[in-house]
């Protein structure tokens, strides 16, 4: 006699499957609507996209300056921070930001512009004297910026949304590496 299968209270897809499907559908709708709007639609107007791109470039420039400040205060962290800083420079370029961030390889970066978008990414904040605290502060800056970018990608058209998502994921990875480096 075969064993009876365990009783299921509800037939149909599980809650996890439904949530994953809904999230995937939302991403597909968001990404596909951006490509249709590039012909001149109104939901992804160029001004919104350009403002988001400019803000992302400024945020990345501020992050590069923050890395420079930490490197200036703690040169021994160069092995950990220089590759992450180089990625932040590439993010500035991907968003069409100024070339001065890529040209300034030394930690003597110019002060951030008056239009700096977030105090957490501002290099003017004092760098902690303790290396662990400096890494933790830099990780918090990366995490906050990644979170803000993840929220912003919902309001921009397809290609820029994909770029923001990619850079937000990289920032979250940087935050993890910095957190692990602080241990």
């Amino acid at each position: 006699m075969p064993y009876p299968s365990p009783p299921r209270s509800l037939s149909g897809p599980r809650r996890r499957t439904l949530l994953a499907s809904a999230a995937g559908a939302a991403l597909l709708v968001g990404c596909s609507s951006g490509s249709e709007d590039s012909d001149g639609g109104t939901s992804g107007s160029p001004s919104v996209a350009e403002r988001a791109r400019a803000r992302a470039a400024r945020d990345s420039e501020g992050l590069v300056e923050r890395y420079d400040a930490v490197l200036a205060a703690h040169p021994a962290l160069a092995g950990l921070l220089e590759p992450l800083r180089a990625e932040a420079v590439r993010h500035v370029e991907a968003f069409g930001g100024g070339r001065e961030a890529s040209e300034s390889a030394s930690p003597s970066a110019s002060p951030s512009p008056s239009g700096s978008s977030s105090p957490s990414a501002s290099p003017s904040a004092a760098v902690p004297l303790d290396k662990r605290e400096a890494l933790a502060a830099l990780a918090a800056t990366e995490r906050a910026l990644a979170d803000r970018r993840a929220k912003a990608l919902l309001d921009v058209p397809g290609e820029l949304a994909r770029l923001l998502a990619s850079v937000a994921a990289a920032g979250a990875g940087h935050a993890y590496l910095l957190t692990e480096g602080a241990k």
Side-chain angles (χ1 to χ4, degrees):
M1 172 173 208
Y3 290 105
S5 44
R8 281 182 100 177
S9 54
L10 295 175
S11 64
R14 295 178 183 256
R15 182 176 15 180
R16 189 177 307 156
T17 305
L18 287 174
L19 289 174
S21 298
L27 284 174
L28 286 175
V29 169
C31 290
S32 65
S33 68
S35 61
E36 294 167 5
D37 290 336
S38 62
D39 295 311
T42 58
S43 69
S45 69
S47 62
V48 170
E50 289 305 314
R51 283 192 310 250
R53 185 179 291 275
R55 178 177 178 164
R58 280 192 314 271
D59 287 346
S60 291
E61 288 169 349
L63 188 60
V64 169
E65 291 172 1
R66 187 73 184 144
Y67 272 104
D68 288 343
V70 173
L71 281 166
H74 303 285
L77 295 175
L80 173 65
L81 298 182
E82 285 177 352
L84 302 178
R85 180 197 180 277
E87 285 295 314
V89 168
R90 282 191 278 280
H91 296 161
V92 171
E93 293 169 356
F95 289 119
R99 301 298 179 225
E100 65 272 1
S102 62
E103 294 170 1
S104 71
S106 70
S108 61
S110 61
S112 74
S114 60
S116 181
S117 58
S118 89
S120 64
S122 171
S124 63
V127 176
L129 296 177
D130 181 52
K131 290 178 186 178
R132 289 182 186 163
E133 290 177 16
L135 288 174
L138 197 51
T141 301
E142 282 272 18
R143 194 174 301 110
L145 186 53
D147 291 345
R148 195 168 54 243
R149 285 179 171 158
K151 289 177 186 170
L153 69 89
L154 299 173
D155 299 327
V156 296
E159 207 48 50
L160 182 55
R162 285 185 280 278
L163 179 59
L164 278 172
S166 177
V167 173
H174 293 178
Y176 172 78
L177 291 172
L178 291 167
T179 301
E180 289 298 308
K183 290 183 180 180

